Amino acid sequence: MENAKLQAFIPLFYLVWSDDLLTRKEFITLQKFINAQGWLSDEEQLWLLSKTNINNPPSRKDITDWKDTVEETIQENQSIKSIFEIALALSGNDTTIQNLESSFVKLENDLGILGEEAINNFKTKANPRTVTHQTDDNFNVQKIRAILDGDQAPIIEKVKTIISSPEFKLKTITDVNVYRQRVFDWCKILAQENLGNMAYPHKYGGGENMADYFAIMETLSYHDLSLVIKFGVQFGLWGMSVQSLGTEKHYIKYLRDIGTLKLPGCFAMTETHHGSNVKGLETTATYHHESQSFTIHTPHPKAQKEYIGNAALHGQMATVFAKLIIEDHDYGVNAFIVPLRDEKGSILEGVTIGDCGHKMGLNGVDNGTISFDQVSIPKDDMLDRFASVNDKGEFESPIPSDNRRFFTMLGTLVGGRIGIPRSALAAAKTGLTIAIKYSDQRRQFGPEGDSEVPILNYRMHQRRLLIPLAKTYAVHFALQYLTQRFLTKTEPEMQEIEALAAGLKSYSTWSTTAILQECREACGGKGYLSENRIDALKNDTEIYTTFEGDNTVLMQLVAKSRLSEFRKSFGEMGSLGIISYVYENTKSVIAEKNPIAIRNTDEHHLLDGEFHLQAFQHREKTILASAAKRIKKLVDNNMAPYDAFNVVQHQMIDVAGAYLDRVVLEQFQLAIATVEDEKCKAILNQLCQLYALSQIENNKAWYLEDNYMEAVKTKAIRKMVNQLCWNVRPDAVALVNAFAIPKSCLGALV
């Protein structure tokens, strides 16, 4: 190459041949660029084109020589910040090349090349950044902690102090009976500290503070998760079912003793043959007017109550869900308080209790089965807030609709679908704290002749842990939003809140399951040792995807809720109406799908929060409209609605997922907008960008199919995700320190 100007093409040649993800289209783009350079002679043009022939790739030596040439240029001029500046320097600052700056920038965008990342790749000789990239203090950790804890900071600190005490020292217990007793003893201590009754009214000994109760549940989840579930069964499911479904007479009789753990109890809903389908429960409660009593009965073995926490050992009473039968008429599922044991722990006549035995996890919880054989209870032990039997022996309810009454009853129990995802969130925070701190210290490999490198400096390790860290922060703020909506709920909002709770329960628990697996692998063999806690976190949270509702079933509930909202405007819609719905309130989406926007790889654009939210909104609306249109078409073709929903079931999960992605991003952005400290806002904004772009990357196939983005843009997004991981890495340890998890809960690695 005698013409020095041709040297300007060397960095482009190296980049296209060293990126094995480039497609034929990108090579054609580079060829078009070369053909457009009128200042080239025919011979020069042919020579340059020969370097872009996919069928005749350059030798390994050629590629190495190109890289060496560029690295030497950068070493001589450390101020170089772009591919164009490298090209200009290689050309000897030729005026022809100087005039091509805008063309080079456009070509970089078309090829999906991020200049800063490319420069970093060239600097391996000049500046070994992988070795020197270290943990730093770029923001005030205590300020981030205050943002995370919010108004519940005092109760969170109290719980952390308790679980850090010697009585709560964690150790591996393999004897199930010993483990169960230890968890029960821990619950007694928490009850003595007035933590169990935190949500109950003051007049029954409680703290009357539901927000603090949720914070207690989440904070306890840094400790032993068997304790969390035992605590939640006793004071949440058992106690709050009495509080939510009962009336004053039940509060007076039971609530104080439940809150002090004088009266251990159960929540007996699930049956062997009926879990998620509560309407199908088969246990019966038959009313006898002459004796003013109900008979609780299990009609066959598959109708036994199963997986009931507190049943196998400690429960003395249970809230039992059963079909109310009056004079052979079925009035649907209602709730009743039924004794199981006397104060000495002896099982009562007519009650049969089994032990579920050893489980995959949560072996400190005594799950059991319960069957009833004609067990009689007084009339007053029907929890009668929403339905009752009057003095004439007749069924009555303030809610005339059977369906509405049933869902109103279940709606009062939605708190469980807030407690569980918050508990899962705490488990994810614990796993990430262990894995990130370990990765910051664990050193392995390194440049030839240089020291070994912290494994958190490796880009793939950053992807494995820092993308989940960003998602965990995002879910934190989404669950704060859900909690606040639940605490300030009004009747018209309840259906939406219930659907959101169901969705975020699935979203958070699925996320935790995936994150803990990644944390285990990221810690190598150390992650497999019980002393380092990740095994217990993995095993104990595995069931979170099932209880309080199977996640896949809950996601269908969310999707049906979104479709019901859509149907309000869908009723008389044709295709134009659907299109109108998709673009309603997002008119800028039309602009986003123009030929320039779908290829836009400008860094400012890719990091723009408005672009992120519009992309999420567009996906949500489009998927929802598509599912609705498909269901309508099936029903119009005489398919039964039940069958139509079954046919599109996979799309229903996508509908729910897109909705939840949007809610989580939206709440993260809104939370950041309230942060006043600029350094805290900056790091949270980077996490938000990382969450948003990584989710877009996960769904890039959909965006490509929809023509919302072209491949050049999705490739640029992938590279930007890598860059954001690199940028967040120095703050990673500080970000997990902001969780302020007690050291006693982090195992031997930390």
Side-chain angles (χ1 to χ4, degrees), residues 14 102 136 148 158 280 450 648 673:
Y14 173 75
S102 60
D136 207 348
L148 294 173
K158 178 179 178 178
D450 211 329
V648 302

Side-chain angles (χ1 to χ4, degrees), residues 495 560-570 581:
Q495 185 177 351
K560 287 180 179 178
S561 173
R562 302 311 300 158
L563 283 168
S564 69
E565 289 296 312
F566 180 87
R567 200 175 289 116
K568 292 175 184 177
S569 50
F570 181 70
Y581 175 83

Side-chain angles (χ1 to χ4, degrees), residues 646-664:
N646 192 34
V647 168
V648 302
Q649 208 165 61
H650 66 285
Q651 274 186 282
M652 300 286 275
I653 304 302
D654 291 342
V655 166
Y659 161 69
L660 293 165
D661 280 340
R662 189 265 301 166
V663 169
V664 171

Side-chain angles (χ1 to χ4, degrees), residues 41 81 122 156 283 309 324 431 622 636 697 699-700 707 709:
S41 69
K81 294 181 179 179
F122 282 128
I156 290 171
T283 302
L324 172 61
T622 304
D636 287 347
E697 182 185 21
N699 295 303
K700 65 182 178 183
N707 198 34
M709 299 176 192

